[in-house]
């Protein structure tokens, strides 16, 4: 598939999960394809980074489910910040672990999973729909019932995939991309390179085969497709570009300029503009 | 200051802060030290190099490291794998002591890193709750405040991310079972909650800080006895490790204003 074909399968109003973590291995080429489409009114479920920032800046987010939104080396995501401060979208603010168990519950087709986290915190106050559950055993402990985070679609980016949807991560952390796919009705994997299935073994042990084809609806070959987030070992985060993104995001005129230069064309135009930007800095 | 402090020079405020952070992990045993911020990171590494060699440390991402590199240097020894999913298990399993930052912290230890103002439409959006709710209910959670002021040490946190003592008590036994805030280290003092009603208490004042200055910088009434102890002096060996091994570029001095 192409990234634009994936975007074509996403309907306005859907709940979409976006893999990666902060500014790490985000499916940015797929996010850019969403920006080129007219899809809107999305509920976005994400360990948030610039994926959330870009979609929020374009007004595509109705509701966000997240524990944070960060650029990692720049702690605060400026578009997320601006959207929150202007009441730009609804937020379901969860703890990082509660979020993981919510995805896990969805993957296991359970309505909830019990967690200790959340009790006593304002996560319970700002999410009045959260309920607690009491252990039926002699301890009688009370827990938060982390609700299943079911997804209509998941978007993830991995280092390698085959044409059938098996996908491999080669960096130090899988993040939660397998859970996102398992929690979703449809899952789309973009990757740096589509390879023959037989090539996986050479790149890493069987434990690097994170996502199975039974979970995957479509595969997109998108070299540099996590840019400007990190996708180790293929590449690290593009810090100068991210800094330029954050700077532009803080000012409406600069953001229009950034959008025209980088986001108004297709993915090839984006990658060419990024290459030109890198040359300027060198 | 970008250069390291001269050997033999008296300890700086930042160095007292490093010592105070290191002390947070004393006696913790074979658990993960999770420092957030430069001074706590130096403190955790100092603790491991001196009185707490059994501590586990990460590279800040997904690896448990077997050696103790200087700031900004890569570890040479990897002793384990700790991706986020396993890190979350370590939090809930309790074999961890985290030292988090705080945009706001109140007298019972309620901490806020999410937003300032009304959560529905904040004046200033910050990080979000991140892992603070899980941290505080599952493993010891200390705090590092590089600029102790009435803006941070507040009467009431706008959004409770890290759970304080009275909120944990109100939430019941499941919330209090593993809840503990061993200490708060600031650029002025070390504080804890070892009082009968778990209100914040001064444990030690850093040398050069007057009781009045601490009271004035705190946004709620804080009892500072005249005979309150001073933060202990670093040993010559500790100063050497901080200045020559862990932080030769003096990054600690950028986080703490003299």
């Amino acid at each position: 598939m192409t990234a634009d074909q994936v975007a074509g399968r996403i309907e306005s109003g859907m709940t979409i999960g976006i893999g990666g973590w902060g500014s790490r291995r985000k499916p940015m080429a797929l996010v850019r394809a969403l920006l080129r489409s007219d899809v809107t009114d999305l509920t976005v479920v994400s360990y948030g980074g610039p994926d959330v920032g870009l979609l929020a800046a374009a007004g595509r987010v109705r509701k966000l489910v997240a524990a944070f939104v960060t650029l990692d080396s720049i702690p605060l995501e400026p578009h997320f910040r601006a959207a929150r401060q202007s009441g730009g979208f609804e937020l379901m603010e969860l703890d990082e672990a509660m979020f993981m168990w919510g995805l896990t519950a969805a993957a296991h087709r359970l309505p909830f999973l019990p967690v200790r986290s959340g009790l006593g915190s304002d996560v319970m106050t700002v999410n009045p729909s959260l309920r607690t559950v009491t252990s039926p055993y002699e301890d009688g402990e009370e827990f938060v019932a982390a609700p299943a985070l079911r997804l209509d679609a998941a978007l993830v980016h991995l280092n390698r995939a085959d044409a059938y949807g098996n996908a491999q991560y080669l960096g130090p952390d899988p993040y939660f991309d397998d859970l996102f796919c398992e929690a979703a009705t449809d899952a789309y994997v973009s990757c740096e390179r589509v390879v023959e299935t037989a090539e996986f073994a050479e790149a890493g042990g069987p434990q690097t085969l994170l996502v199975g084809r039974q979970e995957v609806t479509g595969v997109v070959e998108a070299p540099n497709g996590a840019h400007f987030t990190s996708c180790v070992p293929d590449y690290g985060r593009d810090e100068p570009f991210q800094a330029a993104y954050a700077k532009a995001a803080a000012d409406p005129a600069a953001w229009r300029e950034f959008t025209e230069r980088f986001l108004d064309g297709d993915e090839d135009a984006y990658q060419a503009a990024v290459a030109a930007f890198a040359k300027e800095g060198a | 200051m970008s250069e390291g402090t001269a050997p033999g020079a008296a300890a700086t405020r930042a160095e007292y802060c490093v010592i105070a952070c290191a002390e947070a992990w004393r006696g913790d045993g074979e658990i993960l030290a999770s420092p957030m911020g430069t001074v706590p990171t130096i403190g955790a590494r100092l603790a491991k190099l001196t009185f707490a060699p059994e501590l586990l440390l990460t590279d800040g991402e997904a690896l448990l490291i077997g050696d103790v590199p200087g700031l900004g240097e890569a570890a040479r020894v990897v002793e384990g794998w700790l991706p986020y999913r396993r890190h979350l298990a370590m939090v809930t399993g309790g074999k961890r002591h985290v030292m988090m930052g705080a945009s706001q912290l109140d007298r019972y230890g309620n901490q806020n890193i999410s937003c300032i103002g009304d959560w529905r439409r904040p004046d200033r959006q910050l990080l979000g709750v991140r892992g603070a709710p899980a941290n505080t209910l599952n493993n010891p959670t200390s705090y590092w405040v590089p600029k102790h002021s009435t803006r941070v040490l507040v009467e009431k946190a706008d959004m409770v991310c890290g759970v304080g003592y009275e909120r944990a008590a109100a939430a019941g036994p499941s919330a209090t079972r593993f809840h503990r805030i061993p200490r708060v280290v600031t650029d002025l003092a070390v504080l804890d909650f070892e009082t009968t009603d778990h209100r914040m208490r001064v444990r030690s004042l850093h040398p050069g800080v007057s009781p009045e200055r601490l009271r004035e910088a705190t946004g709620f009434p804080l009892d500072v006895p005249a005979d309150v102890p001073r933060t202990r002096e670093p040993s010559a060996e500790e100063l050497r490790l901080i200045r020559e091994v862990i932080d030769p570029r003096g990054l600690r001095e950028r986080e703490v204003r003299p």
Side-chain angles (χ1 to χ4, degrees), chain A residues 82-265:
Chain A
R84 280 282 287 147
Q85 290 172 191
S86 64
F89 50 66
E90 198 186 320
L91 177 65
M92 182 179 194
E93 185 167 353
L94 299 177
D95 170 82
E96 290 170 10
M98 205 187 273
F99 188 107
M100 176 181 77
W101 290 113
L103 286 179
T104 307
H108 291 233
R109 299 191 293 184
L110 292 169
F112 70 89
L113 279 167
V115 296
R116 196 178 303 279
S117 65
L119 293 172
S121 81
D122 276 334
V123 166
M124 304 305 285
T125 319
V126 303
N127 297 295
S129 65
L130 288 180
R131 295 286 177 270
T132 60
V133 58
T134 303
S135 164
Y137 299 108
E138 61 265 34
D139 58 82
E141 277 202 73
E142 189 189 29
F143 298 99
V144 176
L149 298 174
R150 293 190 195 86
L151 310 172
D152 295 312
L155 308 177
V156 301
H157 184 82
L158 283 96
N159 301 90
R160 306 283 178 269
D162 67 14
Y164 312 103
N166 297 302
Q168 183 176 37
Y169 79 104
L170 296 173
D173 199 319
Y175 309 121
F176 300 90
D177 290 354
D178 48 343
L179 274 182
F180 277 98
C181 294
E182 291 161 11
T185 306
D186 290 307
Y188 301 94
V189 175
S190 62
C191 64
E192 289 300 311
R193 198 149 57 79
V194 173
V195 296
E196 293 295 327
T197 312
E199 286 180 49
F200 284 138
E202 207 177 312
Q207 68 276 12
T208 62
L209 293 167
L210 186 66
V211 176
R213 63 185 162 86
Q214 72 283 0
E215 309 295 346
V216 174
T217 314
V219 174
V220 177
E221 187 170 54
N224 214 29
H227 183 271
F228 49 90
T229 69
S230 66
C231 186
V232 283
D234 292 313
Y235 46 90
R237 185 180 302 125
D238 186 343
E239 297 287 359
F241 189 91
Q242 173 162 289
Y245 162 85
K247 192 166 173 231
D251 172 65
W255 181 246
R256 268 194 305 279
E257 219 171 283
F258 185 94
T259 303
E260 282 165 22
R261 179 169 180 192
F262 295 107
L263 298 173
D264 281 357

Side-chain angles (χ1 to χ4, degrees), chain A residues 21 24 67-68 80-81 84-85 91 93-96 116-117 119-120 122 126 141-142 172-173 175 178, chain B residues 81 83-85 114 119 121-131 133-134 137 159-160 167 174 177-178:
Chain A
W21 172 288
R24 303 172 201 206
F68 58 79
F80 167 67
R81 185 169 209 184
R84 280 282 287 147
Q85 290 172 191
L91 177 65
E93 185 167 353
L94 299 177
D95 170 82
E96 290 170 10
R116 196 178 303 279
S117 65
L119 293 172
D122 276 334
V126 303
E141 277 202 73
E142 189 189 29
D173 199 319
Y175 309 121
D178 48 343
Chain B
W81 184 48
Y84 285 120
R85 58 184 67 196
S114 173
W119 177 87
R121 189 169 171 172
D123 299 325
R124 256 192 324 132
Q125 174 64 44
L126 304 172
L127 296 172
V129 293
R130 297 220 61 148
L137 259 60
M159 162 94 181
V160 175
R167 294 271 297 227
S174 185
R177 190 168 174 193
F178 305 116

Side-chain angles (χ1 to χ4, degrees), chain B residues 75-103:
Chain B
R76 284 169 288 109
V77 182
V78 174
E79 69 166 338
W81 184 48
L82 198 69
Y84 285 120
R85 58 184 67 196
R86 291 180 70 168
H87 204 137
L88 291 174
M90 206 136 178
V91 170
T92 46
K95 290 197 176 71
R96 177 178 184 256
H97 179 171
V98 60
M99 185 175 280
M100 298 188 79
S103 302

Side-chain angles (χ1 to χ4, degrees), chain B residues 7 20 22 28 109 128 144 146 150 159 165 174 192 197 235 247-248 258:
Chain B
D28 275 356
W144 160 239
T150 53
M159 162 94 181
Y165 279 95
S174 185
D192 64 24
D197 63 351
S235 70
D247 183 26

Side-chain angles (χ1 to χ4, degrees), chain B residues 18-94:
Chain B
V18 167
I19 295 295
C21 287
E23 286 289 341
W25 285 286
R26 187 186 284 274
D28 275 356
E30 200 166 21
I31 55 110
L32 178 70
S34 277
M36 308 199 177
T38 301
V39 165
T41 299
I42 301 167
R45 292 184 189 188
L46 180 67
K48 185 170 167 73
L49 284 174
T50 53
F51 53 77
E54 65 283 23
L55 286 176
L56 290 91
L57 296 176
T58 78
D59 68 343
E61 297 215 8
L63 304 178
L64 286 165
I65 57 176
D67 57 341
V68 185
L71 287 185
E73 286 171 32
R76 284 169 288 109
V77 182
V78 174
E79 69 166 338
W81 184 48
L82 198 69
Y84 285 120
R85 58 184 67 196
R86 291 180 70 168
H87 204 137
L88 291 174
M90 206 136 178
V91 170
T92 46

